[in-house]
Amino acid sequence: MKFHNGIHAIQFPDQRVEICAGMETLLCFPHLGEKLWRILKFLELGSSRSDLRQRAQRLDLEWKQVEELLQHLKRAELLDCGKAARRGTEDSTWMRLGGATLRAAYRNRKFLKVAFNTDTDLSVGLAGHLAAGGIGTICFSQLRDLHPSRAKHRVTELRQQLTSQGPAVKLVGNNKDSNLWINLNWGSINPIEVHHAMRQGVPFLSIVFGHDHVEVGPLTIPGITPCPNCIARHRQDRISDLTERVSSLLQVPFPHIESSLGRLGCAVASAQILSYLDQRAIHPGRVTRIDIDGQTHNFDYHPDPNCGCCALLLEETGINQEFVSAGPWVSSWESWGSKGEASASSWDCVPLSEVPTFPTLSAVGCAPAVASPSESAPGSRPLA
């Protein structure tokens, strides 16, 4: 048994002993004798129960006192007794951060599925972050514009890249039953993708890379939190000819993004994604902007009272409604693998009755978003 990863003990001149993680105090013993202090130092290095008993005997220390100390540490969830099988490289780290509750959330990640709208260097990099974090299934709804003869080879490349980060991760080509969709776009959020996500009732995170910045958010839960359309309406007065700008970007290919900016955006997005999937926290209507020099700004938006939360400027852009509903604009993976995991179009409509309800905010008492006249930023809402 030993302390969880990153935990150490420190003794002060007044005989006070604190158990710390970095500069944070997790547990304090106002008066702890020198002998018990030495037992704590043994626990930092790791020791079996029989070794602890022998050390207590050498120190002429009653085992009952050691047992009481161990019980305090166990109740505070600071001690790794080595009984539970390891289920991930960060198992002990999450015990330190949040005890058994967050460790259970971390272990649950292997059952979750995250889908990406496109196959780019940035999306693959972000998928690698999620695979390393323990996400069990990654989906790329659309491969790069490759000749059909290279599609299977591209899938093999993707699988190798992801398994190098998370050996147990699965790669699929159909986004059905995904817990979260990730939409990466250049210049502006794609209104067609937003429309599909909103119609199918699937939570999604929008990530927009710009000329010298990246914006992460909002993370939208349809019918619950402000959608990208709400934010676009708030910004209409500050961005001239917004409708025309959004329409013109629909056919522009994704360019190369400066490497450090791309990594920063993926890191922030990864933290927000895992926080949501772990049901730790969500920030409704929040957009995090990261400039190329590393400066970060958070903008929080209220639901727009004139937004029906069904599409992003869909009517204004003049996009054909039947074209959007049919979804032919995204190609399916055809015969990319021997198991036929993507035999159907990856954007086939899923009836709302079949959409998975994980996770639901209504279950924890969060009412659907209502427009507020206040301009103050709404705070984060814990999911659990």
Side-chain angles (χ1 to χ4, degrees), residues 124-166:
V124 174
L126 178 52
H129 282 294
L130 299 179
I135 296 300
T137 304
I138 300 293
C139 165
F140 287 96
S141 300
Q142 185 179 25
L143 295 179
R144 295 180 183 180
D145 187 18
L146 299 172
H147 190 274
S149 62
R150 280 187 45 82
K152 186 174 181 179
H153 177 67
R154 176 56 185 162
V155 172
T156 302
E157 290 180 343
L158 285 172
R159 183 174 285 110
Q160 291 175 346
Q161 288 179 276
L162 294 180
T163 53
S164 67
Q165 301 294 321

Side-chain angles (χ1 to χ4, degrees), residues 225-236:
T225 64
C227 71
N229 187 40
C230 296
I231 293 172
R233 289 175 179 273
H234 283 300
R235 291 179 167 182
Q236 274 182 322

Side-chain angles (χ1 to χ4, degrees), residues 214 216 286-291 293-299:
V214 56
V216 180
R286 172 165 295 182
V287 176
T288 300
R289 179 188 171 107
I290 306 158
D291 295 328
D293 59 359
Q295 294 293 317
T296 303
H297 311 275
N298 288 324
F299 303 94

Side-chain angles (χ1 to χ4, degrees), residues 23-317:
M23 296 293 287
E24 302 295 327
T25 300
L26 305 179
L27 188 63
C28 178
F29 296 96
H31 302 286
L32 194 70
E34 182 65 26
K35 295 178 180 179
L36 288 176
W37 160 249
R38 294 178 66 178
I39 292 294
L40 285 179
K41 298 305 289 183
F42 292 142
L43 290 173
E44 280 189 12
L45 302 174
S47 178
S48 66
R49 199 174 188 85
S50 59
D51 286 342
L52 272 185
R53 190 181 292 272
Q54 292 178 7
R55 294 179 189 276
Q57 289 176 351
R58 295 188 196 130
L59 293 171
D60 195 24
L61 187 64
E62 291 185 12
W63 180 247
K64 181 180 179 181
Q65 293 178 276
V66 179
E67 282 279 19
E68 290 178 354
L69 177 63
L70 294 177
Q71 289 302 318
H72 278 295
L73 297 174
K74 289 178 182 177
R75 282 195 294 268
E77 298 183 322
L78 303 178
L79 201 60
D80 183 357
C81 297
K83 294 180 180 179
R86 284 283 183 268
R87 301 189 186 181
T89 57
E90 297 182 348
D91 199 87
S92 184
T93 300
W94 281 107
M95 276 297 292
R96 184 193 78 214
L97 290 170
T101 300
L102 287 190
R103 182 180 65 178
Y106 166 67
R107 292 177 174 178
N108 185 63
R109 291 178 187 175
K110 68 179 182 178
F111 302 109
L112 304 182
K113 179 179 178 180
V114 174
F116 288 84
N117 66 328
T118 186
D119 165 23
T120 66
D121 291 339
L122 292 169
S123 61
V124 174
L126 178 52
H129 282 294
L130 299 179
I135 296 300
T137 304
I138 300 293
C139 165
F140 287 96
S141 300
Q142 185 179 25
L143 295 179
R144 295 180 183 180
D145 187 18
L146 299 172
H147 190 274
S149 62
R150 280 187 45 82
K152 186 174 181 179
H153 177 67
R154 176 56 185 162
V155 172
T156 302
E157 290 180 343
L158 285 172
R159 183 174 285 110
Q160 291 175 346
Q161 288 179 276
L162 294 180
T163 53
S164 67
Q165 301 294 321
V169 69
K170 298 177 183 178
L171 178 65
V172 299
N174 194 312
N175 66 3
K176 184 178 180 180
D177 296 330
S178 297
N179 300 108
L180 186 70
W181 287 356
I182 312 298
N183 293 333
L184 283 84
N185 301 116
W186 163 246
S188 173
I189 293 173
N190 188 316
I192 302 177
E193 294 170 348
V194 170
H195 176 83
H196 274 271
M198 295 295 291
R199 186 179 62 163
Q200 296 188 27
V202 180
F204 63 97
L205 175 67
S206 301
I207 306 173
V208 176
F209 288 89
H211 169 61
D212 58 357
H213 68 277
V214 56
E215 290 189 342
V216 180
L219 197 158
T220 304
I221 303 176
I224 301 292
T225 64
C227 71
N229 187 40
C230 296
I231 293 172
R233 289 175 179 273
H234 283 300
R235 291 179 167 182
Q236 274 182 322
D237 294 337
R238 295 191 293 108
I239 302 178
S240 62
D241 304 316
L242 178 61
T243 299
E244 290 75 12
R245 295 178 189 276
V246 172
S247 300
S248 67
L249 284 166
L250 293 178
Q251 303 301 323
V252 176
F254 211 110
H256 175 74
I257 302 298
E258 196 275 330
S259 57
S260 62
L261 179 63
R263 292 191 183 97
L264 275 172
C266 289
V268 171
S270 175
Q272 293 188 13
I273 291 166
L274 294 176
S275 176
Y276 167 73
L277 293 175
D278 287 348
Q279 303 189 48
R280 286 183 274 127
I282 184 173
H283 302 273
R286 172 165 295 182
V287 176
T288 300
R289 179 188 171 107
I290 306 158
D291 295 328
I292 199 167
D293 59 359
Q295 294 293 317
T296 303
H297 311 275
N298 288 324
F299 303 94
D300 295 279
Y301 295 90
H302 289 283
D304 188 274
N306 299 315
C307 175
C309 286
C310 60
L312 172 63
L313 301 177
L314 204 57
E315 295 79 15
E316 291 88 339
T317 55

Side-chain angles (χ1 to χ4, degrees), residues 319-328:
I319 298 172
N320 188 298
Q321 291 278 355
E322 295 180 0
F323 175 70
V324 171
S325 301

